């Protein structure tokens, strides 16, 4: 259902640096069609993007996962990982029509190799 958001040079230089314990996440774009070939209405696509639970870690704040008492085994994820996080979490914003989020480091629930097989229940 999803494909990675492409971040081109026009957008990349506008991306904020996450501060403190936050992660900058690129949300995944919702496909135009369902698996059955039906085109998704814009309103439904928008709702799916808003409620998304999977994203791509673009940047990690300087204090993310630094608290050894909260993260005794080290970071839960790193830049370049696909992660599952809580629906509607973080600060949502768009640049060039693409949605991004700033989420807290402890919002990450899991790391996945290939996000294509996951959908929100």
């Amino acid at each position: 259902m999803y494909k990675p958001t492409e971040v081109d040079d026009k957008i990349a230089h506008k991306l904020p640096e996450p501060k403190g314990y936050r992660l900058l996440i690129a949300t995944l774009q919702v496909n135009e069609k369902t698996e059955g070939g039906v085109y998704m209405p814009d309103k439904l696509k928008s709702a799916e993007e808003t409620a998304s639970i999977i994203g791509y870690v673009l940047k990690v704040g300087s204090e993310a996962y630094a608290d050894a008492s909260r993260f005794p085994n080290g970071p839960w994820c790193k830049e370049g990982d696909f992660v599952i996080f809580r629906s509607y979490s973080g600060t949502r914003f768009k640049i060039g029509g693409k949605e991004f989020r700033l989420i807290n480091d402890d919002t990450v629930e899991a790391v996945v190799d290939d996000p294509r097989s996951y959908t929100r229940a």
Side-chain angles (χ1 to χ4, degrees):
M1 179 173 182
Y2 296 104
K3 61 183 177 180
T5 296
E6 294 178 15
V7 179
D8 60 26
D9 292 336
K10 291 179 184 179
I11 293 174
H13 79 279
K14 294 180 181 180
L15 292 174
E17 285 296 322
K19 298 298 181 187
Y21 51 86
R22 291 178 183 78
L23 311 174
L24 177 63
I25 304 292
T27 59
L28 304 181
Q29 292 178 315
V30 176
N31 289 334
E32 298 285 323
K33 294 186 207 177
T34 65
E35 289 182 14
V38 177
Y39 282 94
M40 292 181 65
D42 289 340
K43 189 172 183 177
L44 180 57
K45 280 178 40 183
S46 178
E48 282 296 315
E49 287 174 354
T50 300
S52 66
I53 60 165
I54 298 181
Y56 182 77
V57 180
L58 292 173
K59 297 180 183 181
V60 177
S62 61
E63 296 175 37
Y65 303 114
D67 185 346
S69 65
R70 291 182 65 216
F71 306 104
N73 297 319
W76 292 351
C77 67
K78 63 186 180 318
E79 291 178 10
D81 283 346
F82 285 102
V83 294
I84 295 177
F85 50 87
R86 298 173 196 135
S87 280
Y88 306 103
S89 63
T91 302
R92 299 173 44 236
F93 62 95
K94 287 188 176 186
I95 300 175
K98 299 192 183 300
E99 183 173 320
F100 299 90
R101 293 187 191 196
L102 287 166
I103 66 171
N104 295 343
D105 55 4
D106 63 352
T107 303
V108 171
E109 303 272 328
V111 175
V112 296
D113 290 331
D114 184 354
R116 291 177 290 186
S117 58
Y118 295 87
T119 59
R120 187 172 57 89

